[in-house]
Amino acid sequence: MLFRSCRRYPEGQAAALDGDRGERWARAVLRVSAGFVIVDRVTGAAAGEPITLRWHGRSRASLEALTIACSAASTEAWVTADPATGEGWHASRYGRREPAWVRRLTAAGPTVFFVTALGPRVRLESGDLLIDDLRHPLSADPGQAPCS
């Protein structure tokens, strides 16, 4: 992956990078009154090529606390201690490997938005982002996403 840019806004931060398969990821981390909202926009994936968002945590319960919405049809998988892929491990110190959890959301499309919330309720509806039932237009640039 190739890091492209990073910007700071009063309500949060944004960054962009190019993926290994030609896709471009843009992420904004927004501070809202009830917590944080993370907006990921992925563009440029080859037709039918899966786009996967992964969240890693030491416990499944910590990952279940996340609210995740996706703009495209998606599948969710939970992985822990998978020796075949190497996913689902945590190193508490050098040379030590302990089981952990990965929450994986996979979708496909020319432009896919993933929205993850820590605290507030979020959902995607008719091209808008709803944060605790307050409607915000979903910006083409996540770094420009409004924040209340």
Side-chain angles (χ1 to χ4, degrees):
M1 295 198 163
L2 177 62
F3 181 72
R4 286 283 178 205
S5 66
C6 185
R7 293 176 295 208
R8 187 177 183 107
Y9 297 95
E11 65 275 354
Q13 297 186 24
L17 59 88
D18 291 338
D20 297 331
R21 299 175 313 214
E23 76 278 13
R24 176 163 280 184
W25 287 75
R27 170 174 280 183
V29 179
L30 308 170
R31 186 178 52 219
V32 297
S33 59
F36 293 90
V37 175
I38 300 138
V39 180
D40 289 291
R41 178 179 61 97
V42 186
T43 58
E49 189 73 26
I51 300 166
T52 303
L53 174 75
R54 291 175 174 86
W55 288 108
H56 300 256
R58 291 188 187 179
S59 71
R60 183 174 174 138
S62 66
L63 295 175
E64 288 173 342
L66 300 175
T67 301
I68 305 174
C70 184
S71 64
S74 60
T75 58
E76 185 173 27
W78 293 85
V79 180
T80 186
D82 186 345
T85 65
E87 283 190 291
W89 297 97
H90 158 75
S92 59
R93 65 179 186 268
Y94 183 77
R96 185 177 174 107
R97 186 172 76 166
E98 300 168 0
W101 283 92
V102 176
R103 185 174 177 183
R104 210 168 41 195
L105 225 66
T106 302
T111 299
V112 175
F113 283 90
F114 295 101
V115 178
T116 305
L118 302 155
R121 292 183 325 271
V122 296
R123 69 180 191 276
L124 295 171
E125 182 180 289
S126 303
D128 288 339
L129 168 61
L130 280 81
I131 303 172
D132 286 334
D133 296 323
L134 296 174
R135 188 173 298 274
H136 304 282
L138 194 55
S139 171
D141 177 2
Q144 299 295 329
C147 183
S148 50

